[in-house]
Amino acid sequence: MMASMVPSGSRDGQPLVLKGVDPETCMIVFKNHWAQVVKILEKHDPLRSSSTLASLGAIGLGAGSSGASRFGPTIPGDEASAVQNYVEHMLLLLMEEESGQAGAMGPILEFVVMENVMERLFVWSLRREFTDDMKLEQLKMYEMLVGQSRQPLLHHKPVLRPLMMLLSSCSGTAAPAVEAQLVLLLHQLCCVLAKDPSILELFFHTSEDQGAANFLIFSLLIPFIHREGTVGQQARDALLLIMALSAENERVARHVAENTYFCPVLATGLSGLYSSLPTKLEVPSEEWHCLHKEEWLRLPSLVQFLNSLEFCNAVIQLTLEEVMTTTAYLDLFLRSVTEPALLQTFLSFILLHQHEGVYILDTLVSRINTPFQLGTVSLALFRTLISLYCEDVMLQLVLKYLIPCNHMMLSQRRVVRERDFYSASAAKILALTPSCCSPDRSPPPLRQLDSILFSKHGETAKNSSNTDEGSGFSEEGDGSGNSCTIGSEIYLDVSYLHYLYDARLSISSCIRACRVWSAPYDGESPPPEKYQPGVLEEPAADARQTLKRVPPLLGPPRPRPPGKEPPSIAQLELEWDDSFDACPVQAADAPVDPKPPQPPSSEPPKHIQEMMRSAIKVVKGSYIEESDFQDDVLVYDLIAQKDASEVEQTSDEPGGSPSDEAQPGSADVSLKNGLCLTLPTAVTADGGKNGLNAKVKGQTDCNGNLQSAVDSSDDLLSQYEELIRTLVGEAGGKQAITEGEARKSVTAATEEEEEEEEEEEMDFTSYTAETPEPEKPQSPFGSVQRFRSGSSKGSYAVPFTGPFMSVLLSRLENMLSNTLHVNLLLTGILAQLAAYPQPLLRSFLLNTNLVFQPTVRSLYQVLATVKNQIEELAACRKDFTEKITVAQHWLLAREASFITADRSSGGGSGQHEAGRILKNSPPPKPKDISLDQTDVFATVLFSEFLKELAAIAQEHSVLSHIPMEE
Amino acid sequence: MNLNPFWSMSANTSRKRSDEEQSGHTDQRASPARTHFSKKVLPPIPKNATPFTKPALMGPAAHTANGTHASYGPFYLEYSLLAEFTLVIKQKLPGIYVQPSYKSALMWFGVIFIRHGLYQDGVFKFTVYIPDNYPDGECPKLVFDIPVFHPLVDPVSGELDVRRAFTKWRRNHNHIWQVLMYARTVFYKINTTEPLNPEAAVLYEKDVQLFKSKVVDSVKLCNSHLFDQPKIDDPYAISFSPWNPAVHEEAKERMFTHKRRPEDHHKGTQVSGLSWVKPGSTQPFSKEDGPPQS
């Protein structure tokens, strides 16, 4: 048996107790032992004891003799075990040694370092046959040393170097026992690193000695992360420790991202992993929506981390609860990874990966609208996503739908970049404050009796405590009688100051963060004309991405036998694609051809089937089965439009009856389930030819593919088609009118801008109202634009601002029945979105003057709807105002407790949602109110949300226009 | 006609083109800390201040904005003025510096440097008064601290006839920077119609030489009062002081070297966004594989 260097004493459960033994004695014993070991070592050292020839001969002999080592002559058993015994004792002594004064090395450690004990032992064992057993023993030895030593050992190169050599010699090992021990040691090392990151540098340096800037620990761990059982667990735990480290250490982060296989391994994912993960989380409370640190620390962390990835593949098979769990994991992952390259890997997976033809992202978006806690958890995930300030994410979620500017009247594009000089939007938003929440009606603790002294004259007034003085303040100043201040007797809502302050912080950090973005998204860059592709249509590069994954089917589509694979999504995408480089054959006529080739198909793709199923449910107005709402993204699209058209009809009601709207040939489109929608069929003149835009085209393509073969769903699909077509027709009809209305303001805007641009030599008389304004061309875009819009009318996409906005707004509309936490998340997300400086997004969310296409629902519209709901509620419930007061108090108390908790836990970046509630008022006595009264809480939240939005709008009017160059 | 080049001014808020000013040096010691666009905009709320009433001025300001709650009226006003101010900064008006007063956002202090023409070397301090129902009221007033000898400047009050250029102040159309620009223009292009100072107008028409010498005297007079205490007692009033190397040298140094705002490099608030979008593309992750920008 080879020499084992592990002290058996500690393994037998009878550790030698050295306490009380005098350090000097220990040192003497250690030195003695080492002298004995060295004697044996040198005796068998070919370089020392014998000539090169002899050593060669010895090796030759050794090789000749059966079972001998390749490295050297066989060492007699008694000598080997003698070394083992000595080393055992020595290690024990080393382990037990306390460090010297002020962290100096203890004498034994110093000796170990000076004499290079560890390295010599390692080299010695290398010289002998380095079997798995040997490795095992050595790994155990280091594991023990690292884990139990009383003084830091890894700081010393003579200890670290042999350890690294050992580790690298183990890199290819296959024996499970060695692997287990290796991972255990690696985990141990990671723990040490996590505690003392200063060692990290040494690991890098030591690796460099070996010729490669390689973070060995990390590389060694990677192969184990998908393992089942404890090995995998430990490897993942260890990796998570390193990931945590990478958040602080740039070098580690860079290394992980650039020099290791971690990203690919991560991105690939392994389906086997999922089975070993916990599929259920204990949900602690109703409020729960994401994994907090305390929670996931209790769980094997990396499991979640990987689970989040796996979830993408396993998504369809999961039950509701599992989906929720994995979504929470996903959120956790996004929150814990900070290294951009890692995030890139992960985000690209979410944004670009498709499952059965549906983007993971879209699936996630659709979950927002699910009832139950899954919706809440999904909201939390998106809050995390949009707070990354990641252009790619924002592009996919919102911006790509806004770039074409189809959501607004053509004439309105200029307004996108306009500055709201006089807080008109803020005023309009605040005007939605329900009467029961008006600041004038707030109870004393909320209503600030202090007024903001807009001028500092308040001080004067206070000092003299004389109101005459106050009223005479306009005479102050230079005595010339110029009034320069305004009165401050109005009760100001002081809480609003906090919102302004928060808005300022939020916007300015957003502006800073977005400096790395590729474009300003201001309605000019990227140019709307260039990116007219509709919504469902996948633009060029996307198709290219797909092509990379799925080989394009360029040949004529072959009939598909029943029951076989659904049509390739890549193929469908190519049909909608108007890029010329991705696929020349089909792209040549793709953008104009209203009827692209329809590959015959006998069965709808699975996701379409799912879509139809969910659609029925959505149209019925409720979700029934928990697990059945996958792949309903496309349906949201339709629902959003249906909603929009309903809103429109409602708003038309006071003026004329809805039937006025109806065009000749109005037909009842009744859906299978009995729900009846009266929709004008309004087939416009060109409707038959190219009335369907790109987006709809995409949908009808799908539908068209199916129509012949699908019997049961044929009806429903055709109804959808009908629905879409009518929506298009309606939009087209209204466009003309509103465009005319909108033109006026644009003309004004044009002038303003032009005048702003004028320099030095301007004619001041032009500022007078009397001077007639020079006629401006009607369209600021010139004839080219008009021509374009005219000619491409058919391909003018149905205005749609994307499933994400649509889902958010539809949840917001139901604010009164949402739980408090859903509403907090929802308003938090919208406020965060509103803080983005990109004019497209900003104008869409906050500019109340922008004229949208009739089918586009704006945030303001939805807020107005909610306000009306609240007013109705307040009117018919006597105790409503009273309840609101109670809820306000409760929320304030909650807020106060958060602040306290935040402070006591040492601050940190708490959830900002709390900032929404008034901060400054004295904490009131919390009275009991049931959280079930969602409408009451929602009302309070609503009025606070209005302030938050208004504050953001106001800050934008200043911040987003400060020139950056200075 | 050379001025003492060694003066300084305390306009630290609206400094523009500092390098142009051959002798412009900031003097920040007199200013209370009101950081440039980085702090709360509204003045702090005095604790337990008793609200005082002044009904006369209540109406217009509070109800301008779409009939919303009066409580927010002042916020709208303040932000409108802030927006105006950022617009002034954006314009980079040559030789004009303004700074809102500490006491009221409706009062701005300014100074204008005339670099050539009849009024060359003139340094005129002025105050802008903005009506409290801005932007729906009259156009702002601009009053020179010392009445400059000029056909359009009232010889007694020092007020510039601004209204002739802005007979009706129109929201969204007229901006305060235009008033400032106008104030500069009148010194380069003399207009004598309907003068506020008929003497100056007549002289300009009839006896340009005498007019010129009167202008020179006026400029001298203004500049001789340069180091006077600000006319209005306000922490943010613009004040000049003789060149003092101990105070000004460092500030000057900073002016010439300091290009970027310090907050750009402020560590605590460092936030970085992410983008893998190739410029000119609208595709996520369209950038060639490389180190991600951050």
Side-chain angles (χ1 to χ4, degrees), chain A residues 132-209:
Chain A
D132 283 351
D133 281 343
M134 287 285 295
K135 287 177 191 167
L136 196 60
E137 295 302 320
Q138 295 230 347
L139 288 170
K140 279 182 184 167
M141 174 184 90
Y142 276 103
E143 193 247 300
M144 204 177 64
L145 268 181
V146 171
Q148 298 183 29
S149 166
R150 290 159 187 270
Q151 48 187 335
L153 298 179
L154 295 174
H155 285 288
H156 307 292
K157 242 182 176 180
V159 179
L160 190 61
R161 250 169 67 95
L163 167 62
M164 300 299 278
M165 293 193 296
L166 172 67
L167 288 177
S168 51
S169 73
C170 289
S171 59
T173 322
V178 178
E179 278 183 356
Q181 193 59 45
L182 175 65
V183 171
L184 190 64
L185 174 58
L186 290 170
H187 182 260
Q188 187 79 261
L189 288 170
C190 287
C191 291
V192 175
L193 281 179
K195 273 185 219 142
D196 182 4
S198 66
I199 305 175
L200 204 61
E201 282 295 305
L202 295 172
F203 272 93
F204 277 107
H205 287 311
T206 316
S207 311
E208 273 162 14
D209 285 351

Side-chain angles (χ1 to χ4, degrees), chain A residues 596-675:
Chain A
Q598 299 184 357
S601 149
S602 52
E603 190 181 308
K606 195 175 167 198
H607 75 277
I608 297 291
Q609 290 178 324
E610 297 271 358
M611 179 188 99
M612 295 181 316
R613 266 199 300 148
S614 334
I616 295 165
K617 272 179 274 169
V618 174
V619 172
K620 271 182 181 165
S622 65
Y623 276 101
I624 307 136
E625 295 88 3
E626 329 182 305
S627 52
D628 277 348
F629 41 76
Q630 289 103 20
D631 291 287
D632 42 9
V633 184
L634 302 179
V635 177
Y636 279 107
D637 187 330
L638 294 172
I639 301 307
Q641 289 164 37
K642 182 181 78 79
D643 286 352
S645 75
E646 275 172 0
V647 165
E648 190 194 343
Q649 280 172 357
T650 320
S651 64
D652 280 336
E653 263 163 25
S657 76
S659 58
D660 291 347
E661 282 283 307
Q663 321 215 340
S666 144
D668 278 355
V669 183
S670 65
L671 299 177
K672 234 181 198 166
N673 51 39
L675 184 104

Side-chain angles (χ1 to χ4, degrees), chain B residues 15-23 97 255-256 259:
Chain B
R15 179 171 55 78
K16 309 173 298 278
R17 298 203 178 173
S18 49
D19 45 346
E20 251 187 43
E21 234 32 83
Q22 87 268 20
S23 46
Y97 300 84
M255 265 182 163
F256 283 94
K259 293 285 176 214

Side-chain angles (χ1 to χ4, degrees), chain A residues 656-726:
Chain A
S657 76
S659 58
D660 291 347
E661 282 283 307
Q663 321 215 340
S666 144
D668 278 355
V669 183
S670 65
L671 299 177
K672 234 181 198 166
N673 51 39
L675 184 104
C676 242
L677 283 173
T678 306
L679 289 165
T681 37
V683 183
T684 49
D686 57 348
K689 285 175 286 175
N690 55 351
L692 295 182
N693 54 67
K695 165 175 165 277
V696 176
K697 196 172 73 192
Q699 259 167 344
T700 47
D701 282 351
C702 294
N703 298 346
N705 295 343
L706 317 170
Q707 259 168 356
S708 57
V710 184
D711 302 321
S712 60
S713 58
D714 181 64
D715 212 351
L716 180 68
L717 283 170
S718 62
Q719 282 166 17
Y720 270 130
E721 256 191 282
E722 200 70 46
L723 179 66
I724 291 163
R725 197 171 294 139
T726 51

Side-chain angles (χ1 to χ4, degrees), chain A residues 279-281 283 318-326 626:
Chain A
T279 52
K280 269 190 173 185
L281 282 179
V283 177
L318 300 178
T319 67
L320 171 72
E321 206 167 352
E322 287 168 330
V323 174
M324 187 180 72
T325 304
T326 47
E626 329 182 305

